[in-house]
Amino acid sequence: MIKSIGYAVKKSKNKLEPHQFTREEPGPEDVLIEVLYTGVCHSDVHQVNNDWKNTVWPCMPGHEVVGKVTRVGANVKNFKAGDTAAVGCMIESCMSCPSCIEGNEQYCESETSWLATYNGAMMPNGQNTFGGYSNTLVVSEHFVLKVPGNLDLKSVAPILCAGVTTYSPLKHFKVKAGQKVGVVGFGGLGHMATQIARAMGAEVTVLSTSPDKKEDALRLGASSFIHSGDKTQMEEAAESLDFILNTVPEKHEIEPYLELLRRDAVMIIVGVLMPEPGWDPQKVIMKRRLLGGSLIGSIRETQEVLDFCSEHGIAPQVEVIPIERINECFENVEKKKVRYRYVIDLASLKAVEGRSDLSDLGSVGNHLKKAQAADQAA
Ligand code: NAP
Ligand code: ZN
């Protein structure tokens, strides 16, 4: 067993607090990682708030992780102790369904779907996993990424979720040079989408509820900025965009954004994972517009976006924080105050190491358990 410490929420409505726990030993195909930096994704806040009604308690978030390999299983080929390694939202999938065979692990079709870095299997089966708000991670080799040498380790973590979640749909829907791309919401995902779409050659318009973000948006590659609360600015941009990536995390009216699409243009929603207020199908029918969605990205795409950022000099804008500030930072994320991603420096966990009052959360596994097995155990 690997003795570990991390910040978790023990049950609904609690705050994140330090706890100790143990991870199962790495198997022959696994990599044991000492976590150095972990990004704070808005999904972590949703999960801790149980906004999606699927939170498994205790909840230890963290799915944008960079660290050092400390040990590898006997069959691991591409990593060795001492290597830098990164982990995103997934640590395992069935690898035998049509989606996994295609290399789209994030759409794994097995009974439990993929195993999330935290909060367990995608199709709830009672299983839990603990993420990168801790000092260790055990991950199946296929799900471990290489970090290009020129990337600054302090700011690389957000590429693992914010980066790939925006890169994947931009690539899948073949956004190309010269196209006009709208990015709705200039936060963690939005500021990565802006930089990535710009590097793909697109002309980027940021649509934001925060006028004070204009300067940053232009500095990071947008050629124009629209305050989405200003009706006149929105009307002037009608039917001007070829593609919109919508990263808004809360329920919102999508019609005003559909109006910005040209004929045959596409809006992909990646932000909100809750039912939206109604919208009029005429908004898509009359202009043959498409409305779709996209879930994180595959392991291949995650490596691609790390390499793409390295090649194009793209870096998440981060504020590095000690883990004891995590509850305050969650509030700032909810209040749109983060500029543009908090990254936890896990060296700050040393402050709680060895504390005698840490409660023990027991043991967590790192591999998919069958729903049936979990049911029987329950
Ligand atoms: P974030 O850093 O908080 O950024 C979201 C931005 O959206 C905010 O900065 C704000 O930008 C805008 N916004 C916030 N509340 C809004 C509201 N009520 N109406 C309109 N705009 C609002 O969050 P993030 O980490 O980028 O994540 C965004 C969402 O993506 C979250 O819901 C997260 O769970 C989800 N997500 C989905 C996937 C996926 O696979 N599909 C993967 C990762 C994350 P402005 O100030 O510019 O308006
Ligand atoms: Zn995320």
Side-chain angles (χ1 to χ4, degrees):
M1 290 306 221
I2 315 287
K3 280 185 141 188
S4 307
I5 46 173
Y7 270 57
V9 172
K10 231 171 161 180
K11 54 181 195 300
S12 176
K13 301 201 167 48
N14 281 20
K15 294 274 180 210
L16 283 146
E17 286 173 347
H19 297 280
Q20 60 192 35
F21 65 102
T22 49
R23 290 193 190 275
E24 279 174 10
E25 287 287 334
E29 328 285 339
D30 293 339
V31 176
L32 172 63
I33 295 170
E34 177 197 349
V35 179
L36 298 177
Y37 298 104
T38 297
V40 178
C41 180
H42 201 124
S43 297
D44 303 347
V45 178
H46 286 310
Q47 201 72 70
V48 160
N49 290 346
N50 200 11
D51 289 340
W52 303 323
K53 309 290 176 235
N54 69 346
T55 303
V56 187
W57 308 106
C59 177
M60 183 178 291
H63 64 200
E64 294 184 334
V65 178
V66 176
K68 264 216 172 338
V69 174
T70 48
R71 199 179 349 138
V72 298
N75 300 338
V76 169
K77 292 191 177 62
N78 298 316
F79 291 91
K80 57 178 188 330
D83 286 353
T84 302
V87 180
C89 301
M90 302 182 275
I91 57 169
E92 197 175 56
S93 70
C94 82
M95 300 303 281
S96 56
C97 73
S99 293
C100 284
I101 289 168
E102 250 172 44
N104 278 309
E105 307 87 344
Q106 75 277 33
Y107 301 111
C108 174
E109 295 155 48
S110 71
E111 201 184 340
T112 46
S113 194
W114 43 279
L115 186 62
T117 310
Y118 71 89
N119 207 55
M122 270 297 104
M123 301 307 287
N125 68 349
Q127 176 174 4
N128 203 357
T129 46
F130 287 171
Y133 288 16
S134 70
N135 55 356
T136 66
L137 217 51
V138 173
V139 183
S140 180
E141 180 185 15
H142 177 79
F143 293 82
V144 184
L145 290 310
K146 299 261 183 200
V147 180
N150 64 337
L151 294 181
D152 174 12
L153 283 196
K154 285 195 170 61
S155 60
V156 82
I159 300 172
L160 280 304
C161 173
V164 72
T165 300
T166 53
Y167 174 83
S168 175
L170 288 166
K171 184 182 170 203
H172 182 81
F173 292 96
K174 301 186 171 53
V175 164
K176 47 183 183 290
Q179 281 191 323
K180 291 192 177 3
V181 168
V183 173
V184 186
F186 196 72
L189 266 58
H191 93 292
M192 289 306 293
T194 301
Q195 298 185 76
I196 292 168
R198 179 73 202 96
M200 289 173 168
E203 205 178 291
V204 181
T205 298
V206 165
L207 296 122
S208 169
T209 59
S210 311
D212 63 327
K213 291 182 179 174
K214 180 174 180 176
E215 212 180 296
D216 288 343
L218 298 180
R219 178 173 54 82
L220 291 178
S223 39
S224 51
F225 182 94
I226 292 176
H227 174 212
S228 49
D230 182 330
K231 242 182 145 197
T232 313
Q233 286 186 39
M234 291 292 278
E235 275 166 17
E236 279 168 8
E239 294 181 39
S240 67
L241 300 173
D242 299 298
F243 183 88
I244 293 179
L245 195 66
N246 182 331
T247 76
V248 174
E250 304 294 340
K251 284 182 190 178
H252 64 290
E253 298 289 340
I254 59 169
E255 281 187 14
Y257 301 111
L258 288 172
E259 304 269 22
L260 304 185
L261 295 173
R262 290 182 167 148
R263 175 170 65 78
D264 292 331
V266 177
M267 176 156 83
I268 297 300
I269 295 189
V270 290
V272 68
L273 280 109
M274 308 165 215
E276 282 285 58
W279 52 278
D280 181 356
Q282 284 207 24
K283 300 288 179 213
V284 290
I285 291 169
M286 304 309 271
K287 294 277 170 194
R288 201 165 54 189
R289 292 163 171 148
L290 294 177
L291 175 62
S294 181
L295 179 64
I296 51 172
S298 65
I299 289 300
R300 191 190 304 134
E301 287 168 330
T302 313
Q303 190 61 61
E304 274 175 28
V305 69
L306 283 161
D307 298 341
F308 186 87
C309 289
S310 147
E311 208 178 298
H312 292 270
I314 294 174
Q317 307 287 294
V318 308
E319 181 181 342
V320 179
I321 57 154
I323 199 158
E324 52 266 35
R325 279 190 56 204
I326 192 66
N327 291 302
E328 162 208 338
C329 291
F330 265 39
E331 279 177 30
N332 289 344
V333 170
E334 286 180 299
K335 291 179 187 154
K336 299 191 266 187
K337 280 191 185 163
V338 51
R339 299 286 186 275
Y340 285 91
R341 203 50 140 200
Y342 290 117
V343 168
I344 306 165
D345 179 351
L346 275 306
S348 58
L349 267 178
K350 297 231 176 332
V352 292
E353 225 167 43
R355 235 170 67 177
S356 57
D357 60 335
L358 294 184
S359 77
D360 198 321
L361 300 179
S363 170
V364 285
N366 319 298
H367 292 284
L368 277 162
K369 293 185 177 53
K370 293 238 160 26
Q372 221 182 350
D375 284 351
Q376 279 164 3

